[in-house]
Amino acid sequence: MLRGDKVIRGAAVAIAVADLVLALLVFSLFERGGDAARFQFVDQFSWIPDIGLKASYLLAVDGLSAPLVALTGLLGLSAVLASWHVGVRVKEYFFWLLILQTAVMGVFSALDLLLFFLFWELELVPMYMLISIWGTGRKEYSAMKFLIFTILGSAFMLVAIVAVFLTPEVGTFNLIELSTTGGVLASAATLLPLSWLFWLFFVAFAVKLPTWPLHTWLPDAHTDAPTAASVMLAGVLLKMGGYGLLRVNVGLFPDQSWEFAWVLVTLGVISVLYGAVVTMRQTDLKRLIAYSSVSHMGLVLLGIGSVGVAGGTLTTTGLSGAAMQLFTHGTITGLLFLAVGIVYEKAHTSGFVSELLVFLGAYRAYDWPTVLAVLGIVLAAGYILWMMERTFFGAPRERFGDLTDASLVEAAPLALMVICIIGVGVYPQLLTDMFDTALGPMVQAINGG
């Protein structure tokens, strides 16, 4: 290992550790409770005023985004440690990896729609570069497919953002002013019907989540991406889609979220079952995890669809389950891809809490679709056990007789993920209390409060 490469790796680890420490400080210092401000750690100043845009550099976190910022810091450090043995264009590799983490952090903390969109687009470049240069197999094809799908989805979002801004009664990109508590969009004569705006945003977020039938880019990207890129892709990039649905679709369009909840539930159930069945057919570990992600992200749609509850008052249970699924799935898939990366490097060849909350919330609104979705969890147990049996058990093969255990650098990110997964599983209230502070105002708006 060249001395210069060692310095670069050390600098990347130092930056990732600093990011994680700051993210955990934000998470731990976030004030919970009824008297606490909804948005905290606010950083704002006027941005590009010379061209007449009422846009601002507005960053803050609430109970929804603070856990996802912490998750990004955790997976960012894990991705850097998982890249310890990268030997090609080392400086450029870690540059793109850290830029990717910066962009995702920006998405989760931006509260200005224009700034949100810029961070959303910034993520495309580093992920494309990581897959196309350091990937394997059909890496150029997979990178371009990821790019095309995401750009097309972003085009829908851009149209919606411009339409919102050009509405005479609105004229702002500020998500706090546009949020459900202000009801700005509901009372304004928007340039496009609110239902159109809802679906324009939805398409962009559904591509990233991804939900069926907009998911086909994900298995290719996962299969051909380097380990660190797969960790970030499954762990936090997919969560950008779910976060957008909660922050924008539910937050800005409560009436439309209630009206079209049945569509979200339908797509969610299809994604859960389709992803689980297709996963059973996979022989490549990365494709297996990719299709399982399609299935488990369907549960996010199911939880969000719980806003369509009829004949009663909506609670935060289903939405909290959807938000919790974003976090727990991020840690679990991050752990899985780290493990797969170690297996490939050497051989070359507890989300229960969140799921329970989703099912409890969704069952009140849609009983039999929820029962169908539960079948996907049964299939998940089957394909995970089958994967373990085919990979780690059975008669040992002679050509793998000289394999060694994971090194300290390889084991460290695995340990971080395991500690986080067990911690949330044992004490889920650590997250649910935070989610309730952010989702409560959205639920109140949907209930007509």
Side-chain angles (χ1 to χ4, degrees), residues 166-235:
L166 292 180
T167 299
E169 295 90 339
V170 177
T172 182
F173 294 106
N174 191 310
L175 274 169
I176 299 177
E177 296 178 13
L178 294 171
S179 66
T180 55
T181 53
V184 176
L185 289 176
S187 60
T190 51
L191 194 65
L192 294 175
L194 290 179
S195 59
W196 289 27
L197 295 176
F198 176 90
W199 288 114
L200 287 171
F201 279 116
F202 176 84
V203 170
F205 301 140
V207 169
K208 187 74 77 178
L209 191 59
T211 184
W212 178 91
L214 304 173
H215 67 284
T216 58
W217 62 269
L218 182 62
D220 292 317
H222 268 324
T223 302
D224 297 331
T227 298
S230 291
V231 169
M232 295 297 288
L233 180 58

Side-chain angles (χ1 to χ4, degrees), residues 96 100 117 119-132 138-156 204 207-208 214-222 225 233 237:
W96 289 123
L100 176 63
F117 180 78
F119 278 125
W120 185 277
E121 292 299 280
L122 177 61
E123 164 270 323
L124 299 180
V125 179
M127 182 56 72
Y128 173 83
M129 300 298 287
L130 288 169
I131 297 174
S132 62
R138 301 188 303 170
K139 55 185 182 180
E140 293 88 358
Y141 167 81
S142 298
M144 184 57 68
K145 190 173 183 180
F146 159 78
L147 191 66
I148 291 174
F149 266 77
T150 310
I151 287 178
L152 289 176
S154 299
F156 286 87
V207 169
K208 187 74 77 178
L214 304 173
H215 67 284
T216 58
W217 62 269
L218 182 62
D220 292 317
H222 268 324
L233 180 58
L237 263 70

Side-chain angles (χ1 to χ4, degrees), residues 418-431:
V418 170
I419 291 171
C420 186
I421 292 168
I422 294 176
V424 172
V426 172
Y427 189 62
Q429 191 175 356
L430 182 68
L431 293 179

Side-chain angles (χ1 to χ4, degrees), residues 146-342:
F146 159 78
L147 191 66
I148 291 174
F149 266 77
T150 310
I151 287 178
L152 289 176
S154 299
F156 286 87
M157 188 198 306
L158 182 59
V159 171
I161 291 174
V162 172
V164 168
F165 176 76
L166 292 180
T167 299
E169 295 90 339
V170 177
T172 182
F173 294 106
N174 191 310
L175 274 169
I176 299 177
E177 296 178 13
L178 294 171
S179 66
T180 55
T181 53
V184 176
L185 289 176
S187 60
T190 51
L191 194 65
L192 294 175
L194 290 179
S195 59
W196 289 27
L197 295 176
F198 176 90
W199 288 114
L200 287 171
F201 279 116
F202 176 84
V203 170
F205 301 140
V207 169
K208 187 74 77 178
L209 191 59
T211 184
W212 178 91
L214 304 173
H215 67 284
T216 58
W217 62 269
L218 182 62
D220 292 317
H222 268 324
T223 302
D224 297 331
T227 298
S230 291
V231 169
M232 295 297 288
L233 180 58
V236 288
L237 263 70
L238 304 189
K239 311 311 175 286
M240 290 164 52
Y243 172 80
L245 289 173
L246 288 167
R247 173 70 70 204
V248 178
N249 283 77
V250 178
L252 303 189
F253 307 97
D255 293 339
Q256 287 67 40
S257 298
W258 183 88
E259 179 183 358
F260 300 117
W262 66 273
V263 181
L264 272 61
V265 169
T266 301
L267 291 174
V269 171
I270 293 175
S271 295
V272 168
L273 296 178
Y274 170 84
V277 171
V278 176
T279 301
M280 297 286 290
R281 301 284 299 171
Q282 303 307 308
T283 57
D284 181 281
L285 286 175
K286 284 191 171 184
R287 292 187 78 86
L288 183 148
I289 301 172
Y291 277 111
S292 73
S293 295
V294 174
S295 179
H296 285 90
M297 288 298 95
L299 294 175
V300 175
L301 282 181
L302 185 63
I304 296 174
S306 68
V307 301
V309 63
T313 301
L314 174 67
T315 66
T316 60
T317 303
L319 293 182
S320 291
M324 178 75 84
Q325 178 73 348
L326 297 178
F327 187 93
T328 57
H329 183 267
T331 56
I332 293 171
T333 54
L335 175 63
L336 287 172
F337 273 112
L338 288 170
V340 168
I342 293 175

